[in-house]
Amino acid sequence: MASDTHVIIDLDALKHNAGIVRSSAPNSKIMAVIKADAYGHGMMRVATGLSDVDGFAVARLDEAITLRQAGVKKTILVLTGFAKVDEIPQFVSYDLDAVIHSEHQIELLNSARIQRPISAWLKINTGMNRLGVEPSSVVRICYALELSGKVRLPVKLMTHLACADDMSSTATEEQIALFDESINGLTGEQSICNSSGLLGWQHAQRHWVRPGIMLYGGAPFCNRSASEDKLKPVMTFKSTVIGLRTVKKGARVGYGGTWLADRTCLIATIGVGYGDGFPRHATVGTPVLIGNQKAPLVGRVSMDSLNVDVSEYRQIKVGDMVTLWGNDLAIEGIAEKSGTISYELMCGITDRVHRVIKGAMDGE
Ligand SMILES: Cc1ncc(COP(=O)(O)O)c(C=O)c1O
């Protein structure tokens, strides 16, 4: 029997979560982070579904161009900015905001031939040590950008928080303080917060917040569930039982024969595997939900299937629907059992998995 493996994308949950952002940061504009195909939820679908936000952030220029060409009119921020001089005119023609995170980009700007200045955000490295200019150089760089005549003034200012998912970390206050110190006297709009930042550090919300994971209903904090923040999962990953067999005590299940039955067991084979985006590193005991009962993974995950022990649930039939994560089974639990994070699981759903859209798109 063929499996019915699909993800449900719940646009009403997306809108609900956007409402939580709005009420949590009522004085800020919202830049919805929809990079990497909106964390696997479908970039265009999410952009259309999020009618109430003020702008979008993507990682790369081509993502931004796709949005503009599809008719998106709002602010679009390209988080990595530009890497080559010939990309800069596209920021003008598509009216995109660029992140400037290195002095090298200022040299590129100076050599670019553009008709109008671009809208730019100077990214300051306050502790993430990924992209961003050093705090001590911010005032000098802003002056250089002003002299270049290639950016709209005043230059906007941003940073990114490294540890905001942990409320007990002191790093976030340190990053916020360093940001404030480094921009002393500069008047551009500011943006500091991702999802956990905006929920946990209200004084850092500033002009724009940049939520990603909370829009999709993932937990922003490492030790607090999404439902505690009233967030609803947008993605529910489903498949079906495609086989049932009884194995005797001592039988091995799956590749490598790594799992050994310690008694006679009923094993259900589910028609989903790492070829669909279910993590191959999910460990024995990772739960799937069949009806309202949890059944533990046994053996290794294969490309197209995985096995669970359903000995306790004799009423199971081939064709029964199984939830891998989403509604009623938090994705964070599956991520933890697989040595990863919800972000990676959401982004990893492969193309062969059907997307079933629930909830109304705006305008429908
Ligand atoms: C610069 C930047 N801002 C905001 C976000 C959104 O973060 P989160 O999904 O944790 O809300 C990201 C995500 O990686 C990011 O890179």
Side-chain angles (χ1 to χ4, degrees):
M1 178 172 180
S3 71
D4 175 10
T5 299
H6 60 273
V7 290
I8 299 167
I9 303 292
D10 182 349
L11 296 174
D12 291 338
L14 178 75
K15 289 189 184 118
H16 164 87
N17 297 336
I20 301 281
V21 177
R22 188 62 85 195
S23 58
S24 307
N27 302 316
S28 304
K29 288 190 260 184
I30 301 174
M31 179 101 71
V33 179
I34 57 169
K35 60 188 176 153
D37 204 25
Y39 294 33
H41 294 71
M43 182 175 73
M44 274 320 304
R45 173 185 305 134
V46 167
T48 313
L50 285 176
S51 57
D52 195 30
V53 302
D54 305 286
F56 298 105
V58 290
R60 303 195 179 142
L61 178 58
D62 57 354
E63 293 174 311
I65 292 175
T66 303
L67 285 171
R68 272 287 180 262
Q69 286 179 337
V72 171
K73 301 269 188 301
K74 292 176 181 167
T75 296
I76 302 176
L77 173 63
V78 180
L79 291 167
T80 54
F82 44 84
K84 294 190 217 125
V85 70
D86 59 8
E87 290 172 355
I88 298 172
Q90 312 210 57
F91 282 81
V92 177
S93 47
Y94 289 103
D95 191 21
L96 304 172
D97 284 27
V99 168
I100 296 183
H101 53 78
S102 76
E103 300 210 28
H104 171 65
Q105 288 173 303
I106 301 171
E107 289 164 28
L108 296 178
L109 256 183
N110 278 328
S111 52
R113 287 165 181 244
I114 45 179
Q115 308 300 323
R116 277 173 285 128
I118 63 167
S119 178
W121 290 79
L122 183 64
K123 185 169 190 174
I124 305 164
N125 172 27
T126 55
M128 178 76 143
N129 288 314
R130 190 173 66 175
L131 297 177
V133 301
E134 289 316 300
S136 57
S137 60
V138 170
V139 173
R140 175 179 56 77
I141 290 175
C142 279
Y143 187 57
L145 285 170
E146 207 176 317
L147 282 184
S148 78
K150 301 279 172 69
V151 299
R152 284 186 223 157
L153 299 176
V155 175
K156 290 172 256 196
L157 304 152
M158 67 181 284
T159 192
H160 190 40
L161 301 172
C163 305
D165 65 327
D166 179 1
M167 289 278 279
S168 66
S169 168
T170 55
T172 303
E173 277 303 347
E174 286 164 20
Q175 283 195 261
I176 298 165
L178 190 51
F179 179 80
D180 286 340
E181 203 182 300
S182 67
I183 64 162
N184 193 12
L186 297 171
T187 57
E189 290 188 0
Q190 302 168 20
S191 178
I192 298 177
C193 290
N194 62 347
S195 302
S196 51
L198 77 91
L199 291 174
W201 284 268
Q202 286 184 0
H203 66 106
Q205 288 174 349
R206 310 298 162 93
H207 301 84
W208 289 85
V209 290
R210 306 188 311 271
I213 196 72
M214 71 181 288
L215 290 171
Y216 308 108
F221 295 101
C222 58
N223 51 8
R224 194 157 99 193
S225 68
S227 59
E228 283 173 87
D229 284 308
K230 301 193 175 56
L231 300 167
K232 296 184 181 169
V234 176
M235 174 190 286
T236 295
F237 192 11
K238 297 234 178 212
S239 186
T240 47
V241 176
I242 56 169
L244 282 167
R245 87 178 47 247
T246 301
V247 298
K248 294 207 175 100
K249 180 177 177 183
R252 293 175 181 276
V253 173
Y255 278 118
T258 53
W259 187 82
L260 193 68
D262 60 1
R263 61 197 149 84
T264 299
C265 290
L266 182 63
I267 302 294
T269 301
I270 317 297
V272 65
Y274 62 81
D276 302 292
F278 193 90
R280 198 184 90 85
H281 295 292
T283 48
V284 167
T286 301
V288 307
L289 200 62
I290 311 183
N292 56 5
Q293 293 174 304
K294 285 183 182 168
L297 176 74
V298 297
R300 287 186 186 152
V301 173
S302 306
M303 189 182 289
D304 313 305
S305 65
L306 55 83
N307 297 300
V308 293
D309 180 357
V310 290
S311 306
E312 311 297 324
Y313 322 113
R314 298 259 162 202
Q315 73 281 23
I316 275 174
K317 307 178 301 303
V318 167
D320 280 358
M321 202 49 96
V322 178
T323 300
L324 289 325
W325 63 67
N327 262 337
D328 304 320
L329 189 64
I331 190 170
E332 288 76 24
I334 312 304
E336 196 183 335
K337 286 275 194 189
S338 313
T340 184
I341 53 173
S342 60
Y343 299 64
E344 189 180 30
L345 295 186
M346 290 175 185
C347 289
I349 299 290
T350 61
D351 285 349
R352 77 174 178 181
V353 177
H354 299 294
R355 269 70 172 169
V356 177
I357 311 306
K358 198 176 135 195
M361 295 288 264
D362 282 310
E364 279 179 35

